[in-house]
Amino acid sequence: MNLAINIPDPAASTYGQIARAIEYLSTPGPETPDIAGLANALSMSERALTEMFRKWCGLTPKSFAQAVALDHARKLLRENMSVLDTTYEVGLSGPARLHDLFVTYDAVPPGIYRARGAGLEMAWGLAPSPFGQVVLMTTQYGVAGIAFADEGREEAAFEDLAGRWPNARYRRDDSAVLPVARRIFDPVHWNPDQPVRLVMIGSQFEIKVWETLLKVPAGHAATYGEIARSIGKPSAARAVGRAVGRNPISFVVPCHRIVGSTGSLTGYHWGLVRKRAILGWEAGLISGG
């Protein structure tokens, strides 16, 4: 199956350069970025590099690196370890927080999960995002899947999602998912009057974990252990980790905000480079850059 599609989206094409920059920044340690060396490695001037970062996420390369540094993650943990013990506070500032409030969700009937998607029709397609191309799946209930698809890996990304619900019917429709992708990834289209509706398809335990992830606001971090305690399963940190790893709705269900107990970024189903990219991008939104 040939899934490739050419989407002329500036943000999506910029992500390739951003990803290379993040890899470079992460090598010596993002706390002390070598901006001149990074610009040289990308065959850019320092000014052009800074402009690229500012346009993409509203931060300078140095500020971006600091936003995803280990010390910063530890600071977030120290300041916000109790965030999951509180209810949503609408007064929290920042457009990224507003995005969290523009999402509603529900779970499909348990029978559909047990039947591995039988009876569901999935409309799916490829769309651009600030973090590269995505495979996006929707059902009559709402968005059921978002997976990042690196160049040449579109088919693998589709199969990763489709394999979770092998008995569902799949219909490709890029035009149908494109406006949904815009509402999810473009802050200009974040509208409280048109919330993005999610549908969660998983075991009861997985859905409970994913619902809890939605309570971790942008600019905050939580650990696997904290998630486990918040759902009343304090000894289930490893099981929580597996459920986080199986999150099928990337970005919107923010598994990228979950870190290790020491503040380390740990793994991410779609790659640590992309996890750093999303965290830095969110930091730019919160800073009002």
Side-chain angles (χ1 to χ4, degrees):
M1 185 184 302
N2 182 11
L3 306 182
I5 183 172
N6 180 26
I7 302 177
D9 183 85
S13 60
T14 298
Y15 177 71
Q17 292 178 296
I18 293 292
R20 289 179 60 199
I22 294 170
E23 289 179 306
Y24 186 93
L25 289 171
S26 301
T27 300
E31 294 87 346
T32 55
D34 177 5
I35 304 304
L38 172 59
N40 184 63
L42 295 178
S43 300
M44 303 173 70
S45 67
E46 289 187 52
R47 180 177 179 178
L49 175 66
T50 299
E51 289 179 351
M52 179 180 74
F53 264 86
R54 283 194 180 280
K55 183 176 181 180
W56 186 75
C57 69
L59 297 174
T60 65
K62 182 178 180 179
S63 296
F64 177 92
Q66 291 172 339
V68 296
L70 176 60
D71 285 348
H72 182 66
R74 288 173 175 161
K75 180 175 181 290
L76 291 177
L77 289 176
R78 287 195 301 270
E79 293 179 349
N80 302 298
M81 280 299 288
S82 64
V83 66
L84 295 181
D85 296 329
T86 63
T87 58
Y88 271 4
E89 297 180 23
V90 178
L92 289 177
S93 62
R97 179 56 178 161
L98 291 177
H99 175 249
D100 295 338
L101 298 175
F102 297 163
V103 173
T104 62
Y105 62 91
D106 202 354
V108 297
I112 290 180
Y113 167 69
R114 288 194 296 269
R116 308 191 73 185
L120 277 182
E121 178 175 300
M122 300 270 195
W124 71 276
L126 298 177
S129 85
F131 319 105
Q133 199 164 233
V134 295
V135 172
L136 196 150
M137 291 182 172
T138 65
T139 74
Q140 65 189 50
Y141 301 97
V143 176
I146 302 174
F148 292 106
D150 291 321
E151 186 175 357
R153 299 286 298 167
E154 295 89 356
E155 185 171 352
F158 168 74
E159 291 177 351
D160 176 47
L161 287 180
R164 299 162 190 253
W165 315 291
N167 296 327
R169 298 186 304 276
Y170 293 95
R171 170 177 58 86
R172 178 155 185 185
D173 190 342
D174 292 318
S175 62
V177 304
L178 187 58
V180 180
R182 289 196 186 106
R183 288 171 57 198
I184 290 172
F185 292 105
D186 188 348
V188 171
H189 295 283
W190 292 350
N191 185 342
D193 296 325
Q194 293 182 314
V196 175
R197 186 162 188 83
L198 308 180
V199 54
M200 296 182 179
I201 307 173
S203 67
Q204 289 185 342
F205 180 82
E206 288 172 335
I207 290 173
K208 199 166 187 178
V209 170
W210 299 338
E211 288 176 336
T212 306
L213 295 182
L214 286 168
K215 298 178 183 178
V216 183
H220 291 60
T223 66
Y224 299 104
E226 187 183 4
I227 298 291
R229 290 191 295 273
S230 73
I231 64 174
K233 304 283 186 180
S235 62
R238 289 188 177 181
V240 165
R242 289 192 292 271
V244 170
R246 282 188 54 78
N247 167 33
I249 309 176
S250 65
F251 183 72
V252 180
V253 178
C255 53
H256 57 275
R257 298 175 193 160
I258 308 306
V259 299
S261 58
T262 64
S264 59
L265 293 186
T266 66
Y268 186 58
H269 189 71
W270 294 279
L272 281 178
V273 167
R274 188 168 275 111
K275 183 171 185 173
R276 288 184 183 275
I278 298 173
L279 291 173
W281 189 84
E282 288 183 340
L285 289 178
I286 294 170
S287 72

